[in-house]
Amino acid sequence: MPLNRRTFLGSTAATGAGVALAGGVAGPAEAAVRGSGDGHGPDGGHGRPGKGKRYSFTVMGTTDLHGNVFNWDYFTDKEFDDAAHNDVGLAKISTLVDQVREEKGRHNTLLIDAGDTIQGTQLSYYYAKVDPITAARGPVHPMAQAMNAIGYDAAALGNHEFNYGIPVLRKFEEQCRFPLLGANALDAKTLKPAFAPYVIKKLRTPFGREVKVAILGLTNPGIAIWDKANVQGKMTFPGLEEQAAKWVPKLRSMGADVVFVSAHSGSDGSSSYGDLLPYVENAATLVAERVPGIDAILVGHAHVEIPERRVVNKESGKDVVLSEPLKWGQRLTLFDVDLVWERGSWTVERVGSRVLNSSTVAEDRKITRLLSDEHRKVVAYVNQVIGTSTAAMSTADAPWKDEPIIDLINHVQVETVKAALAGGEWAALPVLSQASCFSRTAGIPAGDVTIRDAAGLYPFENTLEARLLTGAQILEYLEYSARYYVRTAAGAPVDTSKLTNADSIPDYNYDVVSGLTYEIDVAKPVGSRIVNAWFGGAAVDPAAKFVLAVNNYRASGGGNFPHVAAAQQLWANSDEIRNTIIGWVREAGTVDAGAFASVDWKLKRDGTPVF
């Protein structure tokens, strides 16, 4: 069984923090993996290998699985497909893992993950909220079942592990037959690790002298912002570099021959939360550069593919190999490690990495059979009809046009906030609302509307808040959002495939705001694009007060939008916005775009509409 919070903190409470943390984890978290041969090397018996003897092993890695077991899209109710025809899911990963183990010898391989495991699909949502794993005699989480069956050795915590609250995460941890690692996830009161910081795996070589492979897990400091409601006062999340500098020397002193880091943190050094935290969000490269003693880092969080990146550590001068496999089980990273026996110990001679594409293999039937009942339950759940729509609506053009389907999100949010504030101090203030196009393939059909249709508009577990902002702050908020567009000169051809996502800003970090009208002039430079912003028939008054209906990710600083994180909170709800939309459709019975849709914003160039 994995080291859980109770056993870990219990083992460390009686003694000093430094030694106790190392000793407390090493025992229960250490494990041996039997190597090739019988231990009787050519140098004799079970002694040390002879000079120049070599041993190789492979560490496989996944990240950002986000609840994907099957190659299935629960929002479209059909096999997953994207423009590049990638496949997804642990069932595919399992086939690749089996192939690698067959080639390398299972005893010469390890399998790890870099986090964001239990959130992202309706399969994972169902077993957190509809038939929760925390219920008495509740089910085993499908991700735990699949990862146990595949044989994971360790997984780092991702920020989305905390979306459903700590009790769900603890139950998931209990159900996993491998440790969840988080060296920088600390108990807020004791400042001791709330999860196992690391695990040490022992690989037995043909020469008698085992290889100790340490895997240090690091998670994202942004959890303190993004899931503040779930973790405040319970856990704290210091920086990755700081904690790696603390733990890597300990691992080396404990005899680790090879040190891997599994980090739920991107590699580009950026932070989406600005200066709200002193720690870097995407810190993997900084860890590699500044903390000596690390051989390789499995990177997560950023949802990009990095087959191999070599970073030179500034202190040791040695290469650290970084690799990030593509999200959702689309890729499997392979780190190949070559060791040589020199001066009485194993020395890393070379590390290389590459990725395998899961679309090249079939799903592993042992995984699909294992979870076929869970899959069928979720398919039936998401296909429940909850209402009807008078017309079809799509997000296909929503990144550059004011579309009714995004108006629906804002309409539901405004109605919810107005009802919550009714009769109170803030009831007379106008309510504005922000929304993003999370998916360009979401839609509401004409006719029957199902749970999956409504849920597809909001794939994240965000909740709703009301914040107090001034007109001037709203205008700055809009200017910041308008960075999303690539500057396009008046009269120049418009290619929608090149119009958006300037500076790699993702769709979910572009907000439209309902309740006022405005134009975005994409011919102008960033910072001066919002023109003709009107409210109530007049230009927006910078001193006027507005209520902004906003999701908790944005309100907590996600995306680093100005003002909203520091604004006064007037109200907050614990229910997911997705469920609020589903409930609204159920109650309304009919979705009629004519009742809520309007063109509140449009793109222009020097006063001429782009579309």
Side-chain angles (χ1 to χ4, degrees):
M1 289 300 292
L3 185 67
N4 61 34
R5 179 175 180 271
R6 183 178 296 107
T7 58
F8 179 69
L9 294 182
S11 70
T12 64
T15 53
V19 175
L21 293 180
V25 180
E30 276 192 0
V33 179
R34 187 172 300 279
S36 57
D38 60 4
H40 298 278
D43 61 321
H46 289 274
R48 295 182 176 183
K51 181 179 180 181
K53 295 300 181 183
R54 285 174 165 79
Y55 173 72
S56 298
F57 69 95
T58 297
V59 175
M60 298 173 281
T62 55
T63 191
D64 295 278
L65 293 168
H66 282 289
N68 285 280
V69 173
F70 299 88
N71 186 41
W72 191 260
D73 187 338
Y74 292 97
F75 291 134
T76 62
D77 200 26
K78 59 185 179 182
E79 185 175 303
F80 176 88
D81 194 27
D82 63 10
H85 303 297
N86 288 300
D87 289 347
V88 300
L90 277 171
K92 291 266 185 172
I93 290 296
S94 182
T95 301
L96 290 176
V97 168
D98 283 349
Q99 290 179 353
V100 173
R101 286 171 173 163
E102 178 68 22
E103 176 189 353
K104 308 283 186 180
R106 178 165 185 148
H107 46 272
N108 298 318
T109 66
L110 296 171
L111 175 59
I112 63 177
D113 183 80
D116 275 6
T117 303
I118 61 171
Q119 176 278 336
T121 64
Q122 286 294 287
L123 179 71
S124 54
Y125 176 81
Y126 186 88
Y127 287 98
K129 291 289 190 177
V130 182
D131 185 10
I133 60 174
T134 49
R137 299 183 180 178
V140 177
H141 199 289
M143 294 301 287
Q145 292 192 58
M147 294 174 82
N148 288 340
I150 295 169
Y152 274 77
D153 293 288
L157 294 164
N159 54 284
H160 284 288
E161 260 65 84
F162 294 84
N163 285 173
Y164 298 117
I166 292 174
V168 169
L169 174 53
R170 286 299 184 192
K171 189 64 177 181
F172 175 71
E173 178 190 27
E174 179 185 316
Q175 293 175 342
C176 291
R177 295 201 293 267
F178 52 89
L180 301 184
L181 306 178
N184 61 326
L186 309 182
D187 183 282
K189 294 180 180 178
T190 66
L191 297 184
K192 294 178 179 178
F195 296 83
Y198 65 87
V199 65
I200 292 179
K201 309 294 288 188
K202 297 177 182 178
L203 305 178
R204 293 178 185 165
T205 75
F207 312 112
R209 204 315 192 147
E210 65 193 11
V211 173
K212 287 186 177 182
V213 183
I215 303 160
L216 178 69
L218 296 170
T219 192
N220 206 287
I223 295 166
I225 290 176
W226 304 321
D227 268 302
K228 180 179 179 180
N230 290 328
V231 302
Q232 187 174 34
K234 300 173 184 176
M235 293 186 190
T236 186
F237 302 88
L240 285 84
E241 182 186 342
E242 166 194 326
Q243 294 300 302
K246 171 183 175 179
W247 285 101
V248 171
K250 289 184 179 182
L251 296 174
R252 289 294 184 181
S253 71
M254 293 165 61
D257 301 295
V258 185
V259 174
F260 269 78
V261 173
S262 184
H264 193 75
S265 180
S267 64
D268 67 3
S270 66
S271 292
S272 69
Y273 41 71
D275 58 1
L276 292 173
L277 287 177
Y279 313 116
V280 175
E281 176 182 348
N282 295 301
T285 296
L286 296 176
V287 171
E289 287 178 341
R290 299 175 182 177
V291 181
I294 298 169
D295 296 296
I297 301 178
L298 177 65
V299 179
H301 184 62
H303 291 201
V304 298
E305 183 175 340
I306 304 174
E308 180 183 84
R309 178 177 296 164
R310 309 186 82 85
V311 176
V312 177
N313 182 266
K314 293 180 178 179
E315 182 174 329
S316 69
K318 295 182 179 179
D319 278 0
V320 182
V321 176
L322 277 62
S323 182
E324 181 174 4
L326 203 56
K327 64 184 185 299
W328 305 347
Q330 294 179 50
R331 303 289 186 272
L332 176 71
T333 279
L334 302 187
F335 292 99
D336 293 312
V337 184
D338 298 329
L339 303 173
V340 62
W341 182 264
E342 293 179 337
R343 294 184 292 276
S345 64
W346 289 110
T347 300
V348 175
E349 192 172 47
R350 182 187 178 278
V351 180
S353 66
R354 55 196 169 100
V355 295
L356 303 181
N357 191 329
S358 67
S359 67
T360 63
V361 298
E363 292 185 315
D364 187 339
R365 289 187 177 181
K366 78 171 181 284
I367 302 300
T368 56
R369 284 198 298 262
L370 176 68
L371 293 165
S372 60
D373 287 345
E374 287 84 348
H375 177 66
R376 282 194 293 266
K377 285 181 182 178
V378 175
V379 169
Y381 164 74
V382 300
N383 281 289
Q384 293 179 42
V385 174
I386 55 174
T388 60
S389 178
T390 59
M393 295 181 283
S394 168
T395 58
D397 293 333
W400 48 83
K401 291 182 181 178
D402 188 344
E403 289 290 297
I405 197 165
I406 305 299
D407 291 338
L408 173 60
I409 298 173
N410 277 326
H411 179 69
V412 172
Q413 292 183 166
V414 167
E415 282 203 347
T416 303
V417 168
K418 282 184 175 179
L421 299 180
E425 178 183 359
W426 313 104
L429 290 182
V431 179
L432 311 180
S433 177
Q434 63 80 220
S436 303
C437 176
F438 294 119
S439 167
R440 299 190 184 193
T441 59
I444 297 290
D448 288 346
V449 178
T450 63
I451 284 177
R452 67 179 172 85
D453 296 324
L457 299 183
Y458 226 105
F460 298 106
E461 274 63 47
N462 295 343
T463 57
L464 188 61
E465 297 189 16
R467 297 279 177 135
L468 182 65
L469 278 80
T470 66
Q473 291 172 330
I474 291 291
L475 293 176
E476 290 183 35
Y477 188 102
L478 292 172
E479 282 288 2
Y480 182 85
S481 186
R483 303 173 310 131
Y484 171 76
Y485 293 105
V486 175
R487 189 175 183 182
T488 308
V494 175
D495 180 351
T496 55
S497 68
K498 300 176 181 178
L499 179 64
T500 63
N501 307 101
D503 297 323
S504 300
I505 296 170
D507 290 349
Y508 64 77
N509 271 343
Y510 169 62
D511 287 0
V512 300
V513 174
S514 72
L516 71 166
T517 61
Y518 59 97
E519 297 167 358
I520 304 171
D521 194 325
V522 296
K524 294 183 182 296
V526 168
S528 59
R529 291 180 167 179
I530 301 301
V531 295
N532 297 326
W534 292 72
F535 175 78
V540 172
D541 179 358
K545 292 183 178 180
F546 296 91
V547 176
L548 180 66
V550 59
N551 69 54
N552 70 304
Y553 173 79
R554 192 70 79 232
S556 297
N560 200 28
F561 276 63
H563 305 302
V564 66
Q568 181 179 350
Q569 183 190 79
L570 308 182
W571 172 84
N573 189 8
S574 62
D575 197 22
E576 292 96 345
I577 294 171
R578 172 171 56 206
N579 280 345
T580 303
I581 295 170
I582 291 170
W584 184 91
V585 175
R586 281 189 193 275
E587 185 175 349
T590 301
V591 179
D592 181 2
F596 55 78
S598 61
V599 178
D600 295 326
W601 65 274
K602 60 181 63 176
L603 301 185
K604 288 194 173 182
R605 292 183 296 179
D606 292 347
T608 301
V610 176
F611 301 104

